[in-house]
Amino acid sequence: MNLPNFLQKLAPVGVAAIGAIAITGITTAPVQATPGEVSTLEWDDATTNFNQEIKDVFNAGIGNSFDVTFSPLELGGAAASFIATNHFEPFFDTPGLYDIIPGDSTMGTFELVSNVTIAPASGIARAGEFELTNDLKFTFDNDMSGDVSDGDVMATMKAGALFLGEELNSGAVEVNLTGGDWWFYIPEFEDKPAKTIKSRDSVLVFGDLVGDAGGTYGAEGEVVKTPESASMLGVLAFGGLGLAMAKRKQEKK
């Protein structure tokens, strides 16, 4: 997957890049998926403050947890979609803001399940592995009804997903998905039925600087676009033709 530029920047400069997003906004160019092969959805916004909460968990030890609300109502309750291709394209005007409904519904609880020993790394004070203890669901109000309905795209990260949480020497914190996938519900469109598809490549990264301004997050998922039925029939027919030709050759010998 070609990650959005702002996510690529997180590796060398840490969560400070996330803070820059909150201040300056996103100006990166959309990443284009290969038409007809991959469907990509990328979205991002703010979170509630969790900087001190995750540090308290590090101090308390394994078995303790912290909560994060993504796209909270107090900060607008919406997410920005900057990439929406193929399966997702009919439901998003890119770029655009989309309400997450119901308000404050996208809340994740992250439990510390093990401490992580990291080889000497610049800027990292301590780290741990966290497990998502509940399903984390984003419901985008694509039909602008204000209520959850069959016309809304949904992205769900299921309970049990694993994350690497880090406290940086700067005092900032950063959490990255290490094991888990997005499941997308894609509504019916024209003659195409509604479907639920597992992402083949998933991203969820969120971080928080020191202070009470709150954090930010970025998410992305890619699903393989299945061939149209007519195209598949063509493939099957071509394969059958090859088998018939091979059979005739054997009969002539």
Side-chain angles (χ1 to χ4, degrees):
M1 176 193 291
N2 291 320
L3 298 181
N5 291 342
F6 79 96
L7 289 179
Q8 291 177 340
K9 292 177 183 177
L10 290 180
V13 301
V15 80
I18 302 181
I21 293 170
I23 296 171
T24 63
I26 302 293
T27 57
T28 57
V31 177
Q32 298 299 322
T34 304
E37 294 183 2
V38 175
S39 300
T40 301
L41 181 65
E42 179 237 301
W43 69 102
D44 50 82
D45 192 42
T47 73
T48 51
N49 186 61
F50 65 95
N51 185 292
Q52 188 58 50
E53 284 80 355
I54 190 173
K55 291 175 182 176
D56 290 342
V57 170
F58 277 131
N59 293 334
I62 294 172
N64 290 275
S65 62
F66 69 96
D67 298 331
V68 179
T69 300
F70 299 82
S71 293
L73 274 176
E74 63 179 320
L75 297 177
S81 173
F82 286 86
I83 303 174
T85 64
N86 293 328
H87 280 309
F88 302 106
E89 189 172 8
F91 307 100
F92 293 89
D93 294 326
T94 306
L97 291 171
Y98 297 86
D99 288 339
I100 304 298
I101 52 175
D104 289 339
S105 62
T106 308
M107 191 273 286
T109 299
F110 300 87
E111 179 182 342
L112 180 64
V113 293
S114 69
N115 295 312
V116 177
T117 301
I118 299 178
S122 176
I124 300 176
R126 52 182 172 173
E129 184 178 52
F130 290 81
E131 180 177 343
L132 177 67
T133 64
N134 63 298
D135 287 354
L136 181 66
K137 178 179 288 187
F138 290 82
T139 300
F140 302 91
D141 191 16
N142 300 101
D143 58 8
M144 300 182 184
S145 66
D147 299 309
V148 176
S149 67
D150 291 339
D152 299 324
V153 173
M154 301 176 190
T156 302
M157 182 70 64
K158 296 185 177 181
L162 297 176
F163 294 78
L164 174 65
E166 298 175 336
E167 178 185 348
L168 308 184
N169 290 339
S170 65
V173 293
E174 181 180 327
V175 183
N176 288 275
L177 175 69
T178 58
D181 292 289
W182 290 111
W183 288 81
F184 291 109
Y185 168 77
I186 303 173
E188 177 181 359
F189 179 71
E190 295 180 343
D191 60 340
K192 299 175 182 177
K195 62 192 71 178
T196 299
I197 308 177
K198 179 182 178 182
S199 175
R200 71 168 190 176
D201 202 354
S202 302
V203 172
L204 177 58
V205 54
F206 53 103
D208 194 2
L209 301 173
V210 176
D212 58 2
T216 52
Y217 74 88
E220 182 178 331
E222 288 185 348
V223 296
V224 176
K225 187 173 183 180
T226 55
E228 300 294 337
S229 57
S231 300
M232 182 57 72
L233 288 174
V235 171
L236 293 175
F238 184 80
L241 177 62
L243 290 174
M245 292 176 65
K247 184 177 180 181
R248 283 198 292 270
K249 287 182 179 179
Q250 289 177 353
E251 290 174 349
K252 291 180 179 179
K253 290 183 179 179

